[in-house]
């Protein structure tokens, strides 16, 4: 029986922990035992929201309190790296998996015995720091990451644009949504209802949605807007900015902030279109959930084209263009996606990658 160490930031109810949970479930099917190390757990309620789900599939779960977003960590990641070193030596793992490319590079550089090192890129890895020293460091780190046994990207945006990854090590592995409702029947109503799902943060850009909705109301006076999402622990004040802007524009009676665990089926029955004006994404699960539930979506051009299953329109972040799209589209016409990406397809691709990684080592 092979063993794997998974290193992830936290266990929040967000995209990365959900994706890694799916990976771990697939690894268990292939006969692996899995330990998980969550290195940035500060808020036990939010940062461990998926703890029970992980406990159901993991042998051990380890925790630490390291702020991976701090400048101090960017300069001196030794505390985190040393704790990972201890776990690797203690566990005698066959495989190591993370979505943190600094950690993956560290393991690749150290070459811990015969451990297989897989990097799973879940976001756009080409965001450039405003600090010259970090840009130079990132180039060095990226070159180390090319030494991994497999580089997986969740979409076509998840690969380096300035460092070449060997083609035999490159794989694209989209995640799948836990919740979608292909047979959903929309509520029978005439008024336009718009929705947005996601953490309240600058990246998810709910303020853009508010400005757009203010223009939408001029053409659809009875339109409503539904937000579903958690308050971000990194940006605790952003949701208050959003609520204040709603009040300042006199939209309070038309905008609802639903509970973060609001029933998705009920949401997709209500909304006519889902918006996602994000600045940075890997492959938003919410877009897959919506499309697989027969709900059209509008997203920013920063979203990968891989997220388009036939019901997605990608536009520049310009409220007039989004308004034009909403006005020109009859969202009351029933729609279905081109196809639905399933967990079985995901698991087959995981098996293919694992087989390649271990087969290539036995032949070398």
């Amino acid at each position: 029986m092979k063993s794997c160490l998974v290193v992830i930031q936290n266990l929040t109810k967000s995209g990365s922990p959900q994706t890694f949970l799916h990976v771990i479930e697939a690894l268990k099917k292939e006969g692996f035992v899995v330990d998980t190390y969550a290195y940035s757990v500060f808020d036990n309620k939010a940062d461990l929201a998926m703890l029970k789900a992980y406990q159901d599939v993991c042998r051990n779960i380890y925790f630490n309190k390291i702020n991976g977003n701090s400048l101090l960590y960017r300069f001196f990641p030794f505390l985190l790296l040393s704790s990972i070193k201890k776990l690797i030596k203690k566990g005698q793992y066959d495989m190591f998996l993370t979505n943190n490319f600094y950690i993956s590079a560290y393991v690749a550089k150290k070459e811990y015995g015969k451990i297989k090192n897989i990097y799973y890129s879940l976001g756009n890895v080409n965001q450039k720091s405003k600090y010259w020293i970090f840009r130079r460091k990132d180039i060095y780190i990226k070159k180390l990451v090319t030494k991994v046994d497999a580089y997986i990207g969740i979409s076509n945006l998840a690969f380096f644009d300035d460092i070449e990854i060997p083609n035999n090590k490159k794989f694209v592995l989209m995640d799948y949504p836990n919740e979608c409702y292909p047979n959903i029947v929309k509520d029978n109503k005439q008024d336009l209802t718009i929705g947005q799902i996601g953490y309240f943060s600058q990246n998810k850009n709910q303020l853009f949605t508010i400005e757009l909705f203010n223009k939408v109301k001029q053409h659809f006076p009875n339109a409503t807007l539904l937000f579903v999402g958690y308050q971000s622990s990194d940006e605790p004040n952003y949701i208050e900015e959003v609520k204040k802007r709603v009040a300042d524009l006199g939209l309070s009676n038309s905008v609802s902030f639903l509970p973060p665990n609001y029933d998705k089926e009920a949401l997709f029955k209500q909304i006519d279109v889902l918006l996602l004006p994000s600045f940075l994404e890997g492959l938003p699960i919410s877009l897959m959930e919506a499309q697989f539930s027969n709900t059209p979506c509008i997203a920013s051009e920063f979203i990968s084209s891989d997220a388009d299953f036939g019901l997605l329109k990608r536009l520049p972040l310009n409220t007039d263009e989004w308004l034009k799209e909403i006005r020109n589209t009859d969202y009351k016409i029933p729609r279905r996606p081109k196809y639905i990406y399933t967990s079985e397809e995901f698991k087959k691709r995981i098996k293919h990658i694992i087989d390649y990684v271990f087969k290539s080592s036995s032949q070398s």
Side-chain angles (χ1 to χ4, degrees):
M1 182 176 288
K2 292 185 173 66
S3 60
C4 176
L5 176 63
V6 169
V7 175
I8 191 171
Q9 185 176 6
N10 50 45
L11 304 182
T12 59
K13 282 192 174 180
S14 57
S16 297
Q18 176 175 309
T19 298
F20 269 78
L21 183 65
H22 293 163
V23 172
I24 293 169
E25 291 169 343
L27 289 177
K28 285 198 66 177
K29 185 178 179 182
E30 296 303 312
F32 280 80
V33 292
V34 180
D35 292 346
T36 293
Y37 176 42
Y39 61 83
S40 187
V41 175
F42 293 93
D43 183 334
N44 286 344
K45 183 176 181 180
D47 293 341
L48 296 178
M50 294 186 67
L51 178 59
K52 177 61 170 63
Y54 270 75
Q55 287 174 330
D56 289 342
V57 294
C58 292
R59 178 179 58 183
N60 298 303
I61 303 178
Y62 305 99
F63 307 102
N64 210 329
K65 292 186 178 182
I66 297 173
N67 185 356
N69 297 318
S70 70
L71 288 178
L72 182 64
Y73 164 75
R74 294 290 298 278
F75 272 115
F76 305 108
F78 307 118
L79 180 61
L80 174 57
L81 300 181
S82 63
S83 61
I84 290 171
K85 176 181 177 180
K86 291 177 183 177
L87 278 177
I88 290 176
K89 289 189 172 182
K90 174 184 176 183
Q92 297 293 306
Y93 297 102
D94 299 286
M95 192 167 76
F96 177 82
L97 174 67
T98 186
N99 65 324
N100 184 311
F101 83 139
Y102 284 94
I103 299 173
S104 192
Y106 171 78
V107 174
K109 181 180 180 181
K110 295 298 181 181
E111 297 180 343
Y112 290 106
K114 295 182 179 180
I115 190 171
K116 296 300 161 189
N117 183 4
I118 298 179
Y119 172 58
Y120 195 173
S121 177
L122 300 182
N124 189 327
V125 291
N126 296 298
Q127 189 177 23
K128 301 294 190 297
S129 172
K130 62 181 180 180
Y131 299 103
W132 172 84
I133 189 171
F134 289 143
R135 292 198 299 271
R136 289 294 300 271
K137 181 181 178 182
D138 284 353
I139 292 295
Y140 169 72
I141 295 297
K142 288 176 181 178
K143 288 179 179 179
L144 286 176
V145 173
T146 63
K147 297 181 179 181
V148 298
D149 296 286
Y151 183 119
I152 307 174
I154 199 167
S155 73
N156 57 21
L157 292 180
F159 296 93
F160 304 137
D161 59 12
D162 49 2
I163 298 291
E164 188 65 29
I165 303 292
N167 284 331
N168 64 318
K169 295 182 179 181
K170 290 173 65 174
F171 301 89
V172 175
L173 178 66
M174 291 190 294
D175 193 13
Y176 62 91
N178 285 335
E179 298 180 76
C180 64
Y181 306 93
N183 299 316
I184 198 168
V185 177
K186 297 285 188 176
D187 288 347
N188 185 19
K189 58 182 180 53
Q190 294 303 311
D191 298 329
L192 179 69
T193 302
I194 296 171
Q196 181 171 348
I197 301 172
Y199 270 85
F200 286 92
S201 65
Q202 292 184 35
N203 181 53
K204 297 298 183 183
N205 207 7
Q206 284 91 349
L207 284 173
F208 175 92
T209 300
I210 294 299
E211 300 303 324
L212 169 63
F213 185 66
N214 188 45
K215 294 183 177 182
V216 167
K217 290 285 286 183
Q218 298 173 22
H219 303 274
F220 302 88
N222 296 322
T224 54
L225 172 61
L226 307 179
F227 282 121
V228 175
Y230 287 86
Q231 176 178 309
S232 171
S233 58
D234 293 329
E235 302 172 62
N237 297 323
Y238 185 83
I239 189 172
E240 298 306 322
E241 293 181 45
V242 173
K243 290 180 177 179
K244 183 177 185 305
R245 189 60 181 152
V246 168
D248 290 345
L249 292 172
L251 299 173
S252 298
N253 292 332
S254 301
V255 179
S256 296
F257 294 85
L258 301 175
N261 58 348
Y262 189 78
D263 181 74
K264 292 285 182 65
E265 183 176 12
L267 178 71
F268 293 130
K269 282 182 179 179
Q270 295 175 69
I271 65 174
D272 301 296
V273 56
L274 183 83
L275 307 185
L276 189 62
S278 296
F279 290 108
L280 194 67
E281 294 280 359
L283 188 76
I285 294 297
S286 61
L287 293 182
M288 300 173 76
E289 291 174 333
Q291 291 177 86
F292 297 168
S293 301
N294 308 326
T295 303
C297 305
I298 306 175
S300 72
E301 287 185 321
F302 298 108
I303 303 300
S304 170
S305 58
D306 291 343
D308 185 3
F309 288 84
L311 299 182
L312 173 63
K313 183 74 173 183
R314 295 161 63 241
L315 295 173
L317 284 174
N318 179 297
T319 54
D320 289 334
E321 291 200 38
W322 288 51
L323 175 62
K324 182 179 178 181
E325 175 68 19
I326 290 173
R327 292 189 65 194
N328 290 346
T329 303
D330 186 353
Y331 289 105
K332 300 300 179 180
I333 297 177
R335 289 175 171 80
R336 291 190 177 273
K338 292 182 293 187
Y339 77 99
I340 293 179
Y341 177 75
T342 66
S343 62
E344 290 308 309
E345 188 173 349
F346 178 87
K347 291 172 183 174
K348 286 179 182 178
R349 295 186 184 188
I350 285 279
K351 183 179 188 309
H352 170 72
I353 295 169
I354 299 305
D355 287 347
Y356 162 79
V357 166
F358 285 93
K359 183 178 179 180
S360 61
S361 65
S362 64
Q363 293 176 345
S364 60

mmCIF file of all heavy atoms in Angstrom, residues 130-148:
data_model
loop_
_atom_site.group_PDB
_atom_site.id
_atom_site.type_symbol
_atom_site.label_atom_id
_atom_site.label_comp_id
_atom_site.label_asym_id
_atom_site.label_seq_id
_atom_site.Cartn_x
_atom_site.Cartn_y
_atom_site.Cartn_z
ATOM 1 N N LYS A 130 4.963 43.042 -7.194
ATOM 2 C CA LYS A 130 5.452 44.400 -7.440
ATOM 3 C C LYS A 130 6.880 44.583 -6.939
ATOM 4 O O LYS A 130 7.517 45.597 -7.219
ATOM 5 C CB LYS A 130 4.528 45.421 -6.767
ATOM 6 C CG LYS A 130 4.461 45.299 -5.244
ATOM 7 C CD LYS A 130 3.511 46.336 -4.673
ATOM 8 C CE LYS A 130 3.414 46.236 -3.151
ATOM 9 N NZ LYS A 130 2.488 47.249 -2.586
ATOM 10 N N TYR A 131 7.391 43.574 -6.208
ATOM 11 C CA TYR A 131 8.747 43.645 -5.675
ATOM 12 C C TYR A 131 9.709 42.897 -6.605
ATOM 13 O O TYR A 131 9.526 41.710 -6.887
ATOM 14 C CB TYR A 131 8.807 43.035 -4.268
ATOM 15 C CG TYR A 131 7.933 43.743 -3.263
ATOM 16 C CD1 TYR A 131 6.715 43.185 -2.863
ATOM 17 C CD2 TYR A 131 8.305 44.963 -2.713
ATOM 18 C CE1 TYR A 131 5.902 43.822 -1.941
ATOM 19 C CE2 TYR A 131 7.490 45.620 -1.786
ATOM 20 C CZ TYR A 131 6.301 45.043 -1.407
ATOM 21 O OH TYR A 131 5.497 45.678 -0.506
ATOM 22 N N TRP A 132 10.753 43.590 -7.036
ATOM 23 C CA TRP A 132 11.728 43.006 -7.966
ATOM 24 C C TRP A 132 12.350 41.739 -7.400
ATOM 25 O O TRP A 132 12.532 40.747 -8.105
ATOM 26 C CB TRP A 132 12.823 44.048 -8.265
ATOM 27 C CG TRP A 132 13.979 43.500 -9.062
ATOM 28 C CD1 TRP A 132 14.064 43.365 -10.406
ATOM 29 C CD2 TRP A 132 15.216 43.003 -8.526
ATOM 30 N NE1 TRP A 132 15.260 42.816 -10.763
ATOM 31 C CE2 TRP A 132 15.991 42.577 -9.622
ATOM 32 C CE3 TRP A 132 15.734 42.873 -7.233
ATOM 33 C CZ2 TRP A 132 17.276 42.044 -9.460
ATOM 34 C CZ3 TRP A 132 16.996 42.326 -7.077
ATOM 35 C CH2 TRP A 132 17.746 41.922 -8.174
ATOM 36 N N ILE A 133 12.699 41.764 -6.116
ATOM 37 C CA ILE A 133 13.378 40.625 -5.516
ATOM 38 C C ILE A 133 12.491 39.374 -5.538
ATOM 39 O O ILE A 133 12.982 38.247 -5.742
ATOM 40 C CB ILE A 133 13.833 40.943 -4.071
ATOM 41 C CG1 ILE A 133 14.727 39.814 -3.544
ATOM 42 C CG2 ILE A 133 12.633 41.159 -3.148
ATOM 43 C CD1 ILE A 133 15.394 40.154 -2.225
ATOM 44 N N PHE A 134 11.168 39.545 -5.384
ATOM 45 C CA PHE A 134 10.268 38.398 -5.442
ATOM 46 C C PHE A 134 10.111 37.891 -6.867
ATOM 47 O O PHE A 134 9.971 36.687 -7.096
ATOM 48 C CB PHE A 134 8.911 38.753 -4.845
ATOM 49 C CG PHE A 134 8.927 38.914 -3.348
ATOM 50 C CD1 PHE A 134 8.148 39.876 -2.719
ATOM 51 C CD2 PHE A 134 9.724 38.107 -2.560
ATOM 52 C CE1 PHE A 134 8.169 40.027 -1.345
ATOM 53 C CE2 PHE A 134 9.745 38.247 -1.183
ATOM 54 C CZ PHE A 134 8.967 39.210 -0.566
ATOM 55 N N ARG A 135 10.130 38.797 -7.841
ATOM 56 C CA ARG A 135 10.032 38.366 -9.233
ATOM 57 C C ARG A 135 11.249 37.514 -9.613
ATOM 58 O O ARG A 135 11.129 36.506 -10.306
ATOM 59 C CB ARG A 135 9.906 39.579 -10.153
ATOM 60 C CG ARG A 135 8.598 40.337 -9.998
ATOM 61 C CD ARG A 135 8.330 41.242 -11.192
ATOM 62 N NE ARG A 135 9.364 42.244 -11.362
ATOM 63 C CZ ARG A 135 9.351 43.439 -10.793
ATOM 64 N NH1 ARG A 135 8.346 43.772 -9.983
ATOM 65 N NH2 ARG A 135 10.324 44.318 -11.014
ATOM 66 N N ARG A 136 12.431 37.937 -9.173
ATOM 67 C CA ARG A 136 13.642 37.165 -9.437
ATOM 68 C C ARG A 136 13.592 35.816 -8.718
ATOM 69 O O ARG A 136 13.980 34.775 -9.286
ATOM 70 C CB ARG A 136 14.883 37.953 -8.978
ATOM 71 C CG ARG A 136 15.217 39.167 -9.837
ATOM 72 C CD ARG A 136 15.621 38.737 -11.246
ATOM 73 N NE ARG A 136 16.796 37.860 -11.218
ATOM 74 C CZ ARG A 136 18.046 38.295 -11.271
ATOM 75 N NH1 ARG A 136 18.296 39.593 -11.344
ATOM 76 N NH2 ARG A 136 19.046 37.430 -11.265
ATOM 77 N N LYS A 137 13.121 35.838 -7.485
ATOM 78 C CA LYS A 137 13.037 34.603 -6.713
ATOM 79 C C LYS A 137 12.051 33.633 -7.362
ATOM 80 O O LYS A 137 12.299 32.411 -7.404
ATOM 81 C CB LYS A 137 12.605 34.921 -5.279
ATOM 82 C CG LYS A 137 12.502 33.700 -4.378
ATOM 83 C CD LYS A 137 12.033 34.094 -2.976
ATOM 84 C CE LYS A 137 11.892 32.870 -2.082
ATOM 85 N NZ LYS A 137 11.386 33.217 -0.738
ATOM 86 N N ASP A 138 10.922 34.161 -7.850
ATOM 87 C CA ASP A 138 9.916 33.297 -8.456
ATOM 88 C C ASP A 138 10.449 32.574 -9.690
ATOM 89 O O ASP A 138 10.077 31.419 -9.955
ATOM 90 C CB ASP A 138 8.668 34.105 -8.818
ATOM 91 C CG ASP A 138 7.819 34.438 -7.598
ATOM 92 O OD1 ASP A 138 8.138 33.930 -6.507
ATOM 93 O OD2 ASP A 138 6.852 35.213 -7.743
ATOM 94 N N ILE A 139 11.297 33.228 -10.469
ATOM 95 C CA ILE A 139 11.904 32.580 -11.633
ATOM 96 C C ILE A 139 12.737 31.378 -11.177
ATOM 97 O O ILE A 139 12.675 30.289 -11.763
ATOM 98 C CB ILE A 139 12.778 33.568 -12.429
ATOM 99 C CG1 ILE A 139 11.897 34.634 -13.087
ATOM 100 C CG2 ILE A 139 13.588 32.834 -13.486
ATOM 101 C CD1 ILE A 139 10.958 34.105 -14.150
ATOM 102 N N TYR A 140 13.520 31.587 -10.132
ATOM 103 C CA TYR A 140 14.342 30.497 -9.581
ATOM 104 C C TYR A 140 13.466 29.347 -9.089
ATOM 105 O O TYR A 140 13.740 28.171 -9.361
ATOM 106 C CB TYR A 140 15.197 31.052 -8.435
ATOM 107 C CG TYR A 140 15.889 29.993 -7.612
ATOM 108 C CD1 TYR A 140 16.965 29.269 -8.127
ATOM 109 C CD2 TYR A 140 15.464 29.724 -6.306
ATOM 110 C CE1 TYR A 140 17.588 28.291 -7.369
ATOM 111 C CE2 TYR A 140 16.094 28.753 -5.539
ATOM 112 C CZ TYR A 140 17.153 28.036 -6.071
ATOM 113 O OH TYR A 140 17.767 27.083 -5.318
ATOM 114 N N ILE A 141 12.383 29.695 -8.381
ATOM 115 C CA ILE A 141 11.482 28.677 -7.848
ATOM 116 C C ILE A 141 10.803 27.910 -8.979
ATOM 117 O O ILE A 141 10.677 26.680 -8.940
ATOM 118 C CB ILE A 141 10.420 29.313 -6.932
ATOM 119 C CG1 ILE A 141 11.068 29.924 -5.689
ATOM 120 C CG2 ILE A 141 9.368 28.295 -6.533
ATOM 121 C CD1 ILE A 141 11.763 28.940 -4.789
ATOM 122 N N LYS A 142 10.383 28.621 -10.007
ATOM 123 C CA LYS A 142 9.705 27.968 -11.130
ATOM 124 C C LYS A 142 10.618 26.957 -11.820
ATOM 125 O O LYS A 142 10.167 25.880 -12.243
ATOM 126 C CB LYS A 142 9.226 29.021 -12.142
ATOM 127 C CG LYS A 142 8.048 29.855 -11.659
ATOM 128 C CD LYS A 142 7.690 30.927 -12.670
ATOM 129 C CE LYS A 142 6.525 31.786 -12.190
ATOM 130 N NZ LYS A 142 6.197 32.861 -13.166
ATOM 131 N N LYS A 143 11.883 27.286 -11.936
ATOM 132 C CA LYS A 143 12.835 26.349 -12.558
ATOM 133 C C LYS A 143 12.964 25.079 -11.726
ATOM 134 O O LYS A 143 13.103 23.980 -12.272
ATOM 135 C CB LYS A 143 14.188 27.025 -12.731
ATOM 136 C CG LYS A 143 14.198 28.088 -13.821
ATOM 137 C CD LYS A 143 15.565 28.750 -13.943
ATOM 138 C CE LYS A 143 15.553 29.801 -15.055
ATOM 139 N NZ LYS A 143 16.863 30.489 -15.175
ATOM 140 N N LEU A 144 12.909 25.227 -10.399
ATOM 141 C CA LEU A 144 12.943 24.046 -9.537
ATOM 142 C C LEU A 144 11.682 23.198 -9.721
ATOM 143 O O LEU A 144 11.745 21.965 -9.696
ATOM 144 C CB LEU A 144 13.071 24.466 -8.074
ATOM 145 C CG LEU A 144 14.432 24.991 -7.608
ATOM 146 C CD1 LEU A 144 14.356 25.444 -6.159
ATOM 147 C CD2 LEU A 144 15.507 23.914 -7.764
ATOM 148 N N VAL A 145 10.547 23.863 -9.909
ATOM 149 C CA VAL A 145 9.285 23.138 -10.053
ATOM 150 C C VAL A 145 9.285 22.281 -11.317
ATOM 151 O O VAL A 145 8.588 21.261 -11.385
ATOM 152 C CB VAL A 145 8.094 24.129 -10.036
ATOM 153 C CG1 VAL A 145 6.778 23.427 -10.366
ATOM 154 C CG2 VAL A 145 7.975 24.785 -8.668
ATOM 155 N N THR A 146 10.079 22.653 -12.318
ATOM 156 C CA THR A 146 10.148 21.829 -13.545
ATOM 157 C C THR A 146 10.743 20.452 -13.255
ATOM 158 O O THR A 146 10.655 19.557 -14.095
ATOM 159 C CB THR A 146 10.989 22.521 -14.634
ATOM 160 O OG1 THR A 146 12.342 22.667 -14.181
ATOM 161 C CG2 THR A 146 10.426 23.882 -14.983
ATOM 162 N N LYS A 147 11.343 20.279 -12.072
ATOM 163 C CA LYS A 147 11.933 18.985 -11.715
ATOM 164 C C LYS A 147 10.933 18.022 -11.079
ATOM 165 O O LYS A 147 11.290 16.888 -10.752
ATOM 166 C CB LYS A 147 13.104 19.200 -10.749
ATOM 167 C CG LYS A 147 14.268 19.991 -11.336
ATOM 168 C CD LYS A 147 15.395 20.129 -10.327
ATOM 169 C CE LYS A 147 16.571 20.894 -10.911
ATOM 170 N NZ LYS A 147 17.696 21.003 -9.938
ATOM 171 N N VAL A 148 9.700 18.468 -10.869
ATOM 172 C CA VAL A 148 8.706 17.585 -10.265
ATOM 173 C C VAL A 148 8.434 16.405 -11.184
ATOM 174 O O VAL A 148 8.750 16.429 -12.375
ATOM 175 C CB VAL A 148 7.391 18.335 -9.960
ATOM 176 C CG1 VAL A 148 7.619 19.461 -8.965
ATOM 177 C CG2 VAL A 148 6.744 18.859 -11.239
#
